[in-house]
Amino acid sequence: MATKVMEVVKNLDLKRYMGRWYEIASFPSRFQPKDGVDTRATYTLNSDGTVHVLNETWCNGKRGFIEGTAYKADPNSDEAKLKVRFYVPPFLPIIPVTGDYWVLYIDEDYQYALIGQPSRRYLWILSRQTRLDDEIYNQLVEKAKEEGYDVSKLHKTPQSDSPPDSEDSPKDTKGIWWIKSILGK
């Protein structure tokens, strides 16, 4: 059976997309700890048109994070197909790892989004708020299903009503969360 060609957002306004996004749900991946909470991404537009990416999560009260850079996969395309490059491991960032970041859906007010990639192994539902209305969540899940995702793999990410402050949290300076996540723990 042929896989449906994935539809992505066209003419994404990168400036409006910048800022903090909370992970409402995602497919578990080896790049994120299984017991992570309050997971979020903060995007900042760089002067060269690339995007600074800061991904954060909290495990056992400690903040784990990784920083990277996103850029348009094809600068001449109007499709919201980005590449994201991180250097791993976070405690000694020497190995570049690049992945796809495709915006499959975003509302007109840029308040919630569905993010995926061509292999359909990764999926994220993001929101500007720590909570997302069930009706909107279900619409995004349905959209993912229409794009060929096995939505039974979606895992809701616990979010606090008052998100932690990055500066006040003890940091996981050894990158233990990253090692454990690679080992499937």
Side-chain angles (χ1 to χ4, degrees):
M1 181 172 112
T3 304
K4 175 186 182 282
V5 175
M6 202 175 301
E7 291 181 36
V8 299
V9 169
K10 294 193 186 305
N11 300 309
L12 180 72
D13 184 339
L14 266 184
K15 287 181 182 174
R16 288 183 69 198
Y17 196 75
M18 296 301 98
R20 178 158 293 158
W21 291 89
Y22 295 94
E23 181 184 281
I24 302 301
S26 69
F27 281 4
S29 81
R30 67 176 193 239
F31 300 110
Q32 288 182 258
K34 291 182 178 183
D35 58 349
V37 299
D38 295 316
T39 303
R40 63 193 186 197
T42 305
Y43 304 121
T44 309
L45 195 58
N46 296 321
S47 60
D48 64 359
T50 62
V51 176
H52 176 261
V53 177
L54 170 62
N55 287 345
E56 302 172 282
T57 194
W58 276 257
C59 293
N60 301 318
K62 290 187 179 176
R63 175 182 173 250
F65 68 96
I66 189 165
E67 296 180 277
T69 303
Y71 53 92
K72 286 198 71 164
D74 177 357
N76 299 316
S77 172
D78 66 347
E79 294 183 313
K81 292 181 178 179
L82 304 172
K83 293 281 189 183
V84 182
R85 178 177 296 128
F86 295 101
Y87 287 87
V88 296
F91 52 88
L92 182 63
I94 57 173
I95 303 166
V97 176
T98 303
D100 292 296
Y101 183 106
W102 289 11
V103 182
L104 305 177
Y105 179 83
I106 189 159
D107 71 301
E108 64 183 37
D109 295 325
Y110 282 60
Q111 294 301 300
Y112 48 90
L114 181 66
I115 310 301
Q117 45 78 260
S119 74
R120 295 174 173 83
R121 284 193 307 248
Y122 303 102
L123 182 70
W124 294 269
I125 293 176
L126 304 178
S127 173
R128 296 287 191 181
Q129 306 298 319
T130 57
R131 304 276 184 261
L132 188 62
D133 178 78
D134 285 342
E135 184 178 338
I136 293 169
Y137 176 83
N138 291 333
Q139 289 171 359
L140 293 171
V141 169
E142 192 56 38
K143 171 72 173 154
K145 195 184 301 183
E146 290 168 9
E147 293 297 341
Y149 282 88
D150 175 2
V151 296
S152 69
K153 295 180 192 174
L154 263 177
H155 168 76
K156 286 198 173 182
T157 306
Q159 292 284 350
S160 302
D161 289 328
S162 297
D165 184 344
S166 302
E167 301 308 313
D168 294 339
S169 299
K171 293 174 182 49
D172 175 10
T173 55
K174 296 182 175 121
I176 299 300
W177 69 268
W178 187 84
I179 294 168
K180 287 171 71 176
S181 65
I182 291 297
L183 298 174
K185 306 269 182 193

